[in-house]
Amino acid sequence: MRDRCSLIIVLVLVLLGAACQAPAPANVPSATLAILPVWPQPPAEPRIRYVRSVSGAQDWGIIKSFFRRMFDALAGKGDEHFIRPTGVAERDGVLYVADPGARALWILDAVQNHSVKVTGIGNSALTSPVAVAVRPDGAVFVADTWLQKVFLLDREGGLIRVAADQGLERPAGLAYDPATERLYVADSASHQILSYGPDGVLVRTWGRAGTRDGEFNHPTHIALDKTGTPLVTDALNFRIQAFDAEGRFLWKLGRHGDASGDLAAPKGLATDNAGHVYIVDALFDTVEIFDRDGSFLLAFGERGSQAGQFWLPAGLFIDPRDQIYVADAYNRRIQVFALGSDKGAGQ
């Protein structure tokens, strides 16, 4: 008993000492604090700049209470971190991360100083949560490819309902349109896009296997531009296709190759406020930026593990302030970037 009391006193003293220290910006290596990466390189005017990396709740500004830290220390439990994040979204200070490596959905709420790691929904354990999409009220859709379902959860990770399961084989990408309350799902196995109403009923499908306009070869990601136009990563056709809400083909961009502006392994995509299209390329370890005519504007990132470098990046999200979130899967982190000019990239 005396030894246990002594141990508790030592732990309390250690934790008190740690609490009195101002936390360092752990998400930025000290060697990079003076000069953070920008693109393009000087003397050109910067268009994209690195902001931060997030590997877990602490990097998002969530601080454990003294008693929580004491309990974790006694239990031998350290801080938890992402394992292989592939999907990311942010809204009102809440970061949502789909992490199939951890078999979890992370909800990091900096405003409420609260985090949730969701590993099970109802009677189902999450197995391969790969994509997320967020409603304006903070409720989040998460797609699990193995369970062949899309769940809708509240900000605490509680199940609201199964948002989609009818017709799904391998749901890989999600997008939500608040104006129409439509949920769009890219199904990689069936080579289709499916849209669901607010009651979870399947409203429409489009696409089939092929290389023609409106056909797909394993679509993996989907995003909506500022007008609500669905954009789809047609992965093994090495292109992006755009459609109207009824599934009618509108336009496309991208081609296969290994030169600047080519695509080798396109993954996540998003658009900024100026309408530029951003595409993650997992093989090149970059994010490529195009205008709506398909002209290549700029790429940022390179292979590596330092700030602004990637290792098999996957998901992509751009918030209303044009902050860019990249799921840097095999570096086990989310990297955040911002447009470095009010004019935006490429203007």
Side-chain angles (χ1 to χ4, degrees):
M1 178 65 72
R2 180 177 297 176
D3 290 342
R4 175 172 286 187
C5 290
S6 299
L7 176 60
I8 292 174
I9 291 171
V10 170
L11 285 171
V12 169
L13 291 173
V14 170
L15 289 170
L16 279 172
C20 294
Q21 297 176 4
N27 52 28
V28 181
S30 59
T32 67
L33 286 175
I35 304 176
L36 297 178
V38 296
W39 296 266
Q41 299 297 312
E45 180 183 357
R47 301 295 187 181
I48 304 291
R49 56 184 175 84
Y50 170 87
V51 176
R52 66 196 294 195
S53 292
V54 181
S55 297
Q58 184 177 1
D59 294 337
W60 193 243
I62 297 171
I63 302 172
K64 291 182 181 179
S65 69
F66 169 76
F67 292 105
R68 179 77 246 180
R69 283 181 288 142
M70 186 170 67
F71 176 82
D72 288 349
L74 289 170
K77 181 180 178 182
D79 291 332
E80 292 188 289
H81 299 92
F82 307 146
I83 303 298
R84 184 166 52 88
T86 59
V88 60
E90 187 275 344
R91 189 173 187 89
D92 299 331
V94 184
L95 187 70
Y96 306 83
V97 179
D99 186 349
R103 298 187 177 187
L105 167 70
W106 304 82
I107 304 175
L108 309 183
D109 189 337
V111 177
Q112 300 297 326
N113 194 43
H114 179 64
S115 65
V116 180
K117 180 184 179 183
V118 182
T119 57
I121 298 174
N123 296 323
S124 300
L126 287 176
T127 303
S128 185
V130 296
V132 291
V134 183
R135 291 195 323 194
D137 62 356
V140 57
F141 298 93
V142 56
D144 191 302
T145 58
W146 182 260
L147 297 178
Q148 299 176 313
K149 293 181 179 181
V150 179
F151 301 97
L152 177 62
L153 309 180
D154 61 28
R155 285 175 60 156
E156 296 297 319
L159 176 64
I160 297 175
R161 60 180 172 83
V162 174
D165 59 357
Q166 181 185 359
L168 293 179
E169 295 183 37
R170 192 184 303 158
L174 298 176
Y176 177 73
D177 185 355
T180 61
E181 297 186 300
R182 291 279 183 90
L183 174 69
Y184 295 92
V185 182
D187 192 296
S188 180
S190 67
H191 311 283
Q192 288 184 322
I193 305 302
L194 303 91
S195 66
Y196 297 83
D199 53 1
V201 173
L202 180 63
V203 175
R204 180 170 286 101
T205 67
W206 71 84
R208 62 181 181 180
T211 60
R212 296 180 178 179
D213 293 346
E215 297 177 339
F216 302 107
N217 189 356
H218 293 287
T220 58
H221 295 77
I222 185 167
L224 304 180
D225 69 7
K226 303 306 176 184
T227 67
T229 299
L231 311 180
V232 180
T233 300
D234 187 9
L236 294 185
N237 281 327
F238 308 100
R239 64 187 181 185
I240 304 300
Q241 296 195 70
F243 301 86
D244 66 16
E246 308 305 313
R248 290 183 288 261
F249 171 82
L250 297 176
W251 50 267
K252 61 186 176 183
L253 64 83
R255 64 176 184 268
H256 187 214
D258 58 7
S260 294
D262 291 342
L263 299 175
K267 297 286 187 179
L269 77 160
T271 65
D272 64 18
N273 284 315
H276 302 124
V277 180
Y278 295 61
I279 307 169
V280 169
D281 196 294
L283 188 60
F284 293 153
D285 294 299
T286 59
V287 177
E288 301 187 34
I289 309 174
F290 299 83
D291 66 19
R292 295 299 281 269
D293 296 325
S295 298
F296 173 65
L297 302 177
L298 178 67
F300 65 93
E302 60 183 358
R303 185 165 302 167
S305 59
Q306 300 301 310
Q309 297 178 334
F310 303 115
W311 184 13
L312 294 178
L316 182 67
F317 177 79
I318 299 178
D319 71 17
R321 299 174 298 159
D322 281 339
Q323 294 241 65
I324 305 157
Y325 301 76
V326 181
D328 188 8
Y330 280 81
N331 278 324
R332 302 184 173 193
R333 63 189 179 185
I334 304 299
Q335 293 200 68
V336 185
F337 303 83
L339 292 180
S341 168
D342 292 338
K343 298 178 181 178
Q347 291 190 0

